[in-house]
Amino acid sequence: MSVWSAWEVQEDGGATSWFDVRLAFTDGARVDVLAVMSEGCVSVEDVRAQPALSLDDLAVLADWIEGPLAEACGGGPEPAPEAAGSRRARPVWPHGVEGRWLAAQEYRTAQEEGVDPVLAVMCATGHSRRMSLRLIAQARDAGFLAPRHARR
């Protein structure tokens, strides 16, 4: 695995840094990642893999690059104590009725604040846009949100 700094932007006393990460495997497979570190948080901006990664591999990608990326950043952020044993890349979101109800709350709060409600649900759940839209539809079906279109 190799990590190198791509570029850095200084702003308001802080810095946002982009890193190129390459994982090369003995069988010829390769994964190239563009990772961003800002305010102690690491985000993955772009992933290119040959051959394509499975969903399980994609879910643990952050764990694969965490150590070398922290070394390249001069130590990197320390994990939160409650998350030290966790290997989840996204926040824990409850399933079933409770998850639908919480998604509806996020949706309504975003609407009241005048921001994109789907994006708010995406940020809260850690799910993709498609999965968030599915969760919102389930919340509508459960009666937690008004129907999208009036029935005739």
Side-chain angles (χ1 to χ4, degrees):
M1 181 180 310
S2 54
V3 178
W4 60 96
S5 181
W7 65 91
E8 180 176 274
V9 175
Q10 301 278 334
E11 60 183 350
D12 297 329
T16 301
S17 303
W18 282 261
F19 294 89
D20 287 315
V21 181
R22 174 168 287 165
L23 291 90
F25 298 93
T26 56
D27 64 356
R30 189 175 81 200
V31 179
D32 292 315
V33 177
L34 178 61
V36 179
M37 173 160 291
S38 177
E39 298 176 9
C41 294
V42 176
S43 303
V44 174
E45 290 235 342
D46 188 35
V47 177
R48 294 178 189 222
Q50 188 63 32
L53 293 174
S54 70
L55 288 177
D56 291 333
D57 290 341
L58 194 55
V60 296
L61 178 63
D63 294 333
W64 292 349
I65 66 172
E66 181 179 21
L69 193 55
E71 288 176 22
C73 296
E78 291 297 319
E82 67 275 3
S86 173
R87 293 182 57 90
R88 289 185 64 88
R90 62 180 168 195
V92 176
W93 192 260
H95 296 284
V97 174
E98 184 182 2
R100 290 182 211 123
W101 184 81
L102 289 172
Q105 295 299 327
E106 287 290 333
Y107 189 92
R108 274 195 230 101
T109 301
Q111 276 185 324
E112 291 168 3
E113 294 174 357
V115 296
D116 183 5
V118 177
L119 185 59
V121 173
M122 288 172 59
C123 291
T125 62
H127 290 309
S128 67
R129 184 168 189 85
R130 179 177 289 172
M131 290 298 295
S132 295
L133 287 169
R134 181 178 292 154
L135 186 58
I136 292 166
Q138 291 171 350
R140 285 187 198 288
D141 292 344
F144 298 129
L145 292 171
R148 181 144 173 87
H149 302 288
R151 301 190 188 249
R152 298 177 192 216

